[in-house]
Amino acid sequence: MLLEEEKEIGGIRFYTKQLPATRGFTLFTRLVKTAGPVIAALGGVNPEADMISAIGPLAEGLKNLNPDEVVDLALAVMVNTYAVIPEQSGDRKLDINKANFDRIFNGRLKNVFEVLAFVIKVNFQDFFGDSSQQTASTVTETETPTIDE
């Protein structure tokens, strides 16, 4: 079963669906390889605090990464995620992809980190001690047929 979660960040509702295990494992490997230094550097930073306190650890963790690679990795993490942006004419659903990234996050770069943390927690919850929790929003991607004898 694949978990689906939603969270409001910066006045926008974000929805994400857990990746299948093979895609998740591939992404996890890429995250550790590419973003390991960033994750390690941010380990002691409170994400709810002012991001100014994170500048030093972020600079240390990001110093050896190619900026284009960071954006590509962020998009890979958020591949099963979309935003619902409130507008006067009604809510607008936008998949998080290269075309919509600026529309969603212009002037809200702190939200990028918050959404990434949310999506990473949903996809890799067993690393955060939540592996046994399946909420009512759990869905199945495919049902396995059973044979009645």
Side-chain angles (χ1 to χ4, degrees):
M1 291 197 255
L2 299 175
L3 187 66
E4 286 186 311
E5 293 285 338
E6 68 178 273
K7 185 174 185 176
E8 184 171 326
I9 297 171
I12 297 174
R13 294 229 50 93
F14 290 91
Y15 297 81
T16 195
K17 184 176 180 180
Q18 202 172 37
L19 295 169
T22 52
R23 275 183 87 185
F25 188 66
T26 301
L27 179 61
F28 181 75
T29 303
R30 186 175 170 200
L31 271 170
V32 169
K33 182 179 175 182
T34 307
V38 176
I39 294 167
L42 288 174
V45 175
N46 178 358
E48 302 299 322
D50 187 355
M51 287 302 286
I52 295 298
S53 65
I55 295 298
L58 272 174
E60 182 62 28
L62 293 172
K63 72 180 179 185
N64 295 321
L65 296 180
N66 175 325
D68 292 330
E69 187 177 11
V70 173
V71 171
D72 289 344
L73 182 58
L75 291 171
V77 168
M78 296 187 280
V79 68
N80 276 359
T81 306
Y82 65 91
V84 175
I85 300 172
E87 295 182 343
Q88 286 183 348
S89 59
D91 291 346
R92 183 168 58 152
K93 176 186 169 188
L94 292 173
D95 290 330
I96 299 179
N97 55 37
K98 207 167 209 160
N100 292 329
F101 192 87
D102 287 341
R103 289 183 193 140
I104 297 166
F105 295 112
N106 274 347
R108 299 176 169 166
L109 291 179
K110 177 183 173 187
N111 291 359
V112 173
F113 293 99
E114 293 175 25
V115 173
L116 284 170
F118 160 61
V119 174
I120 287 169
K121 185 165 185 181
V122 170
N123 277 285
F124 308 111
Q125 63 180 308
D126 51 336
F127 288 94
F128 298 98
D130 295 336
S131 62
S132 64
Q133 294 185 12
Q134 295 288 317
T135 66
S137 61
T138 301
V139 297
T140 57
E141 183 180 24
T142 57
E143 293 292 328
T144 305
T146 58
I147 299 174
D148 293 323
E149 294 185 50

